[in-house]
């Protein structure tokens, strides 16, 4: 079955600390992977995406993600978190042609000063 | 990137009434539009896929007679929630099919009272 798992429902970090949000996927075809951020009451903002090429992908706001095929993972990282990063983060998987996405359940990030 | 305009952004309606949500692609033509919904504190789930000039396809568990989708042109897809009930309160968001991309509208927060 096709699915996306975000094991961490809620993560709390101090401002300036590093961050890693986990994402594992199960997908029958070549996966097209995305990370989105959603602030309370807002829509989705694309942080980064991966389809092929360099497995380390750079995104906006200082985020990066690494695709590891052997582990079926696409973890999101940021070296130093800012208070404004507090939000809900969603990992999603699709295929290049259909673009119908399967979303993970999300990880809520809380940042303490 | 592609610009997708979704209206309204927020709507409050009385139980039993209908609400129409519009999703417009402003700078490209979308043959296919995906409609997702997100219940409070949950992830996004695909509801249906609309195709220009043909009937929409619905995901399992989504009532096609309740959620009417019209995709009459390549730039406009609409979702009408008919006879809305409080349990239909959700965040609805559209996404046009663009190979290799995954753009989203701003979303519509529906509250049924």
């Amino acid at each position: 079955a096709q699915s996306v798992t975000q094991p961490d429902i809620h993560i709390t970090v101090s401002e300036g600390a590093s961050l890693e949000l986990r994402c594992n996927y199960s997908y029958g075809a070549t996966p097209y992977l995305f990370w989105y951020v959603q602030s309370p009451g807002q829509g989705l903002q694309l942080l980064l995406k991966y389809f092929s090429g360099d497995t380390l992908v750079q995104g906006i706001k200082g985020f990066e993600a690494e695709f590891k095929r052997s582990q079926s993972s696409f973890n999101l990282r940021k070296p130093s978190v800012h208070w404004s990063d507090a939000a809900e983060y969603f990992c999603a998987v699709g295929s290049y042609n259909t673009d119908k996405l399967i979303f993970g359940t999300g990880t809520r990030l809380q940042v303490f000063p | 990137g592609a610009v997708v305009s979704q209206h309204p952004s927020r709507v409050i309606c009385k139980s039993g009434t209908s609400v129409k949500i519009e999703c417009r692609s402003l700078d490209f033509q979308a043959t296919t539009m995906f409609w997702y919904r997100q219940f409070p504190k949950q992830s996004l789930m695909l509801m249906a896929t609309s195709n220009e000039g043909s009937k929409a396809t619905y995901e399992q568990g989504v009532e096609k007679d309740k959620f009417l989708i019209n995709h009459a042109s390549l730039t406009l897809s609409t979702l009408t929630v008919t006879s809305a009930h409080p349990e239909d309160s959700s965040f609805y968001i559209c996404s046009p099919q663009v190979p290799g991309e995954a753009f989203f509208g701003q979303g519509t927060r529906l509250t049924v009272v």
Side-chain angles (χ1 to χ4, degrees):
Chain A
Q2 301 175 343
S3 65
V4 176
T5 301
Q6 292 181 247
D8 305 305
I9 297 172
H10 186 198
I11 284 183
T12 301
V13 298
S14 298
E15 190 171 19
S18 63
L19 172 70
E20 182 169 31
L21 303 182
R22 295 183 289 167
C23 173
N24 292 94
Y25 66 91
S26 173
Y27 200 69
T30 301
Y32 200 16
L33 294 154
F34 302 81
W35 273 101
Y36 291 90
V37 60
Q38 184 181 37
S39 297
Q42 302 297 312
L44 297 175
Q45 182 178 23
L46 177 67
L47 289 175
L48 47 79
K49 62 187 179 185
Y50 171 81
F51 181 65
S52 64
D54 192 345
T55 57
L56 184 62
V57 182
Q58 301 297 320
I60 63 171
K61 302 185 177 188
F63 285 94
E64 66 177 27
E66 186 171 12
F67 172 63
K68 293 185 177 180
R69 186 184 299 276
S70 61
Q71 297 177 22
S72 297
S73 70
F74 188 57
N75 294 347
L76 182 72
R77 300 194 294 247
K78 186 169 183 177
S80 178
V81 171
H82 189 262
W83 65 266
S84 60
D85 293 324
E88 188 90 20
Y89 290 80
F90 292 98
C91 180
V93 67
S95 72
Y96 184 89
N97 287 323
T98 67
D99 294 309
K100 177 174 62 178
L101 296 185
I102 299 169
F103 284 85
T105 48
T107 297
R108 180 172 169 239
L109 174 65
Q110 198 168 5
V111 180
F112 281 115
Chain B
V3 179
V4 183
S5 178
Q6 185 174 343
H7 293 280
S9 58
R10 291 182 180 273
V11 58
I12 300 173
C13 71
K14 290 185 177 180
S15 187
T17 62
S18 296
V19 173
K20 179 185 283 188
I21 301 169
E22 293 189 346
C23 186
R24 294 181 184 273
S25 49
L26 299 183
D27 55 357
F28 66 100
Q29 294 180 330
T31 305
T32 299
M33 189 75 74
F34 300 112
W35 285 93
Y36 296 83
R37 67 180 169 185
Q38 182 185 30
F39 290 113
K41 299 189 186 300
Q42 296 188 27
S43 188
L44 292 90
M45 298 289 289
L46 181 68
M47 291 178 63
T49 303
S50 72
N51 298 287
E52 188 267 336
S54 64
K55 288 183 179 180
T57 57
Y58 292 81
E59 297 299 303
Q60 191 172 8
V62 178
E63 301 173 57
K64 61 180 172 65
D65 295 329
K66 181 173 184 60
F67 298 98
L68 302 180
I69 289 176
N70 184 283
H71 197 148
S73 77
L74 291 173
T75 59
L76 176 63
S77 176
T78 61
L79 167 67
T80 302
V81 183
T82 64
S83 187
H85 289 128
E87 56 264 32
D88 297 324
S89 297
S90 184
F91 184 70
Y92 295 86
I93 192 165
C94 61
S95 176
Q97 182 186 40
V98 178
E101 301 291 347
F103 300 109
F104 287 86
Q106 300 93 324
T108 298
R109 188 159 302 281
L110 170 64
T111 303
V112 184
V113 297

